[in-house]
Amino acid sequence: MAENREKVLSVNNLVINFKTDNGILKAVRDVSFDLYQGETLCIVGESGSGKSVTSKTIMGILANNAIIAGGNIIYRGENLLEISEEEFYKIRGHKIGMIFQDPLSSLNPIVKIGKQITEAMLINSDKLKTMYNDIISDDLIRYKNTLAKMNIAIANEKKKLEAFIAETNAKEGRSSEQKASDKALIQQKKAEFKAFEQETKANYMAQAKEYKAVLAETEKRAKKEVAEYKAKVTNAFKTKEAELKQRLAAAATKEEKDAVKAELEKEKEAFVNCLSITKAEAKRRALEIMKEVGIAEPERRYNQYPFEFSGGMRQRIVIAIALTASPEILICDEPTTALDVTIQAQILELINKIKAERNLSCIFITHDLGVVANMADRVAVMYAGKIVEYGTVDEIFYEPKHPYTWALLSSIPDVDSKEKLEAIPGTPPNMIYPPKGDAFAIRSKYAMNIDFREEPPYFKVSDTHYAATWLLDPHAPKVEMPKIVSERIKNSLEG
């Protein structure tokens, strides 16, 4: 069903590592998924499974020690991993919005919430500047993206070199011959990097020079068009203003004068709004959005501080801030974790309502499968940096195939079951040293010998349902979903 809708975001074979003092941490390992217009994709998994790292990569806000080791993220035909910060500035918040886990840490405690909601609007309030930027946008982005691709390519290769050197030097028990061999190999890798750097710069800088010349011409045209527009609206206003002043001077009664004065004020306001977003206009929009997210008495609340709001209301403010730029994709990174159950339900209902009204596409990140049942169209289950199962919400809840999905579902609390809540044994693996084979095998009572030797491929369950588990291999023994899981699902979702 989703495949018939427009694809707005596509993550392909994404690999994200982090350089740490203890070695290279493999946070995201070959992750792929698509997001379609108007749908909610829920990414679910334990802490440390790679959910938030994936979302931060989409937003372009990874930490400095991150290494993008592979893959791409395609949004509107462009790879977000290769664009310049100038273009990301136009996308981040404006096209792709994000709601974070803790609303209190997302808000400035000493700034009134009205100012925080209107801040982005007022930063971009100069309509003449916006007009100029829009005219030069395509040529500027093409030029900046060329430089960005060059710098990103070189930076990624440098990080790979540094990671190789760190891993090579960390080897224990090397003989003197092996150390000499490793040293020679490192020198070879350094020379290869230098050659790559020089070739990359030569290729990209020649192209960038051509784009810069085109940009210079576009900037001249943009300045001319902006000046003509400003002159046009200014002359129109001055003509109208002169006419109204004549009428004001000729007015015989107080009522006539008041009417002309009101019309003059309206014309002044319209003129100013042609050139910029005023504080009054920004406030009007903010109050509308505050009403939309369910904040009562927005006029009074507009001048209050975050500490004067409950946790649920603070999250509504964060949602309002995310909506001010009218994004088409909304990433919700565990937005209900810090809230109690009753408020959680209200926030989830609000997000669903806004998503439907604005036809948003939503990526919802959570560890709570109860939340998934109320939010998702499709679900991706993540473990140890990989998506181990994905499908429609009905397929994941009623026909799960991966032992990790079974374990997550068996931990859903319900009031009818007499069975005790099951915990997943053990802990997630240390991803500096990712396990061989299926990363969940050591915690799974269904693990076979092959699980410890080889990583399972994705097995197709249906056209929309895939799972990476050797239990689906035709040669594997037949293992049914545990009865406790099916009973808990039935009680939780149908009771």
Side-chain angles (χ1 to χ4, degrees):
M1 182 176 178
E3 282 71 9
N4 295 326
R5 288 181 278 176
E6 180 187 6
K7 189 187 294 183
V8 294
L9 186 77
S10 184
V11 176
N12 303 296
N13 308 113
L14 186 65
V15 180
I16 306 295
N17 300 329
F18 286 91
K19 187 178 179 181
T20 72
D21 292 339
N22 297 318
I24 303 300
L25 187 145
K26 285 79 174 176
V28 175
R29 305 186 295 155
D30 199 26
V31 163
S32 299
F33 60 83
D34 297 319
L35 180 68
Y36 294 88
Q37 181 64 48
E39 80 159 345
T40 296
L41 171 69
C42 278
I43 303 177
V44 62
E46 292 172 282
S47 296
S49 61
K51 310 183 302 295
S52 293
V53 172
T54 302
S55 68
K56 288 177 180 177
T57 307
I58 295 171
M59 292 295 292
I61 54 173
L62 282 174
N64 290 333
N65 65 329
I67 303 169
I68 300 174
N72 58 55
I73 301 173
I74 305 300
Y75 169 71
R76 296 302 182 195
E78 285 196 286
N79 183 5
L80 296 184
L81 302 182
E82 293 183 347
I83 64 174
S84 62
E85 183 58 29
E86 284 80 4
E87 184 169 6
F88 235 133
Y89 177 78
K90 291 177 176 291
I91 293 173
R92 190 188 297 118
H94 299 276
K95 300 294 184 182
I96 305 176
M98 191 165 187
I99 301 170
F100 292 95
Q101 186 175 134
D102 182 5
L104 190 56
S105 63
S106 301
L107 297 169
N108 189 326
I110 59 172
V111 176
K112 293 178 179 179
I113 65 104
K115 185 174 181 181
Q116 297 191 57
I117 295 173
T118 60
E119 183 178 19
M121 286 186 274
L122 293 174
I123 286 174
N124 299 291
S125 63
D126 189 336
K127 290 186 177 180
L128 295 179
K129 185 177 179 180
T130 301
M131 180 181 175
Y132 173 84
N133 288 335
D134 286 343
I135 294 170
I136 70 168
S137 176
D138 290 344
D139 290 332
L140 176 64
I141 285 170
R142 186 172 60 171
Y143 168 64
K144 290 290 187 179
N145 281 357
T146 303
L147 297 178
K149 287 177 183 179
M150 177 186 73
N151 292 330
I152 290 169
I154 293 171
N156 284 340
E157 284 300 313
K158 187 175 182 180
K159 286 181 178 179
K160 289 177 186 178
L161 173 63
E162 290 171 346
F164 173 79
I165 293 172
E167 288 182 345
T168 301
N169 290 335
K171 293 177 183 176
E172 295 181 357
R174 292 184 297 165
S175 64
S176 57
E177 291 82 1
Q178 185 62 50
K179 286 181 181 179
S181 175
D182 287 344
K183 185 177 180 180
L185 186 58
I186 288 173
Q187 292 302 319
Q188 179 187 333
K189 292 288 185 182
K190 286 181 177 180
E192 289 174 357
F193 168 72
K194 281 291 183 186
F196 172 84
E197 183 180 32
Q198 290 173 1
E199 183 181 357
T200 302
K201 284 183 177 180
N203 291 338
Y204 279 104
M205 288 307 295
Q207 194 175 52
K209 188 176 180 180
E210 294 177 10
Y211 291 156
K212 189 174 183 180
V214 174
L215 174 61
E217 292 300 316
T218 306
E219 287 174 335
K220 291 178 184 177
R221 176 169 59 84
K223 288 177 182 177
K224 182 180 178 182
E225 289 185 21
V226 169
E228 288 174 349
Y229 169 78
K230 183 178 180 181
K232 180 180 176 182
V233 296
T234 302
N235 291 336
F237 168 68
K238 286 182 176 179
T239 301
K240 189 68 177 178
E241 183 184 39
E243 177 192 327
L244 289 171
K245 285 182 177 179
Q246 285 180 352
R247 285 172 53 191
L248 183 61
T253 65
K254 183 178 182 300
E255 289 77 10
E256 288 178 348
K257 287 183 178 181
D258 288 344
V260 175
K261 285 179 181 178
E263 192 175 347
L264 183 57
E265 285 301 315
K266 188 176 179 181
E267 286 295 330
K268 285 180 179 178
E269 184 179 346
F271 170 65
V272 172
N273 284 333
C274 284
L275 303 179
S276 66
I277 298 173
T278 63
K279 287 185 177 181
E281 174 65 11
K283 181 178 180 180
R284 184 190 66 77
R285 293 188 194 179
L287 294 175
E288 285 182 357
I289 292 173
M290 288 172 71
K291 289 177 185 176
E292 185 180 358
V293 300
I295 297 176
E297 300 181 87
E299 291 84 358
R300 179 174 66 85
R301 297 293 226 170
Y302 184 89
N303 291 309
Q304 292 183 324
Y305 292 92
F307 69 83
E308 297 179 79
F309 292 77
S310 66
M313 280 297 172
R314 283 195 290 262
Q315 194 59 284
R316 289 173 189 268
I317 295 165
V318 171
I319 294 171
I321 293 171
L323 294 177
T324 55
S326 300
E328 65 173 340
I329 297 174
L330 190 61
I331 299 175
C332 306
D333 190 357
E334 305 207 39
T336 60
T337 298
L339 308 175
D340 63 56
V341 176
T342 305
I343 304 303
Q344 277 187 17
Q346 294 176 8
I347 296 299
L348 294 177
E349 184 181 343
L350 172 64
I351 292 172
N352 272 335
K353 170 177 167 285
I354 290 170
K355 177 204 156 200
E357 289 175 351
R358 296 190 174 212
N359 195 28
L360 291 172
S361 304
C362 185
I363 297 175
F364 200 99
I365 295 167
T366 183
H367 62 269
D368 185 346
L369 275 167
V371 168
V372 171
N374 294 316
M375 296 294 296
D377 295 304
R378 291 187 302 129
V379 181
V381 180
M382 282 193 79
Y383 183 77
K386 292 185 70 71
I387 293 177
V388 296
E389 184 167 7
Y390 64 92
T392 66
V393 66
D394 287 343
E395 288 168 336
I396 295 299
F397 275 92
Y398 295 110
E399 292 291 333
K401 298 299 181 184
H402 198 285
Y404 180 60
T405 311
W406 294 347
L408 288 177
L409 289 166
S410 68
S411 66
I412 297 177
D414 71 88
V415 294
D416 298 315
S417 176
K418 294 181 181 178
E419 302 283 349
K420 71 175 184 177
L421 200 66
E422 284 204 357
I424 303 175
T427 58
N430 181 350
M431 295 311 293
I432 293 177
Y433 308 103
K436 192 176 180 182
D438 186 343
F440 187 63
I442 198 168
R443 304 175 70 187
S444 173
K445 59 184 176 183
Y446 306 101
M448 301 175 288
N449 286 336
I450 193 171
D451 284 301
F452 296 96
R453 298 197 313 268
E454 294 184 34
E455 193 172 293
Y458 285 111
F459 290 92
K460 182 178 178 179
V461 182
S462 73
D463 288 340
T464 55
H465 188 189
Y466 292 80
T469 170
W470 286 114
L471 292 177
L472 293 177
D473 188 277
H475 301 98
K478 190 171 180 60
V479 177
E480 296 292 339
M481 177 171 59
K483 187 176 180 182
I484 183 175
V485 178
S486 57
E487 286 297 320
R488 197 173 291 280
I489 294 169
K490 183 178 179 182
N491 292 339
S492 298
L493 302 181
E494 299 178 352

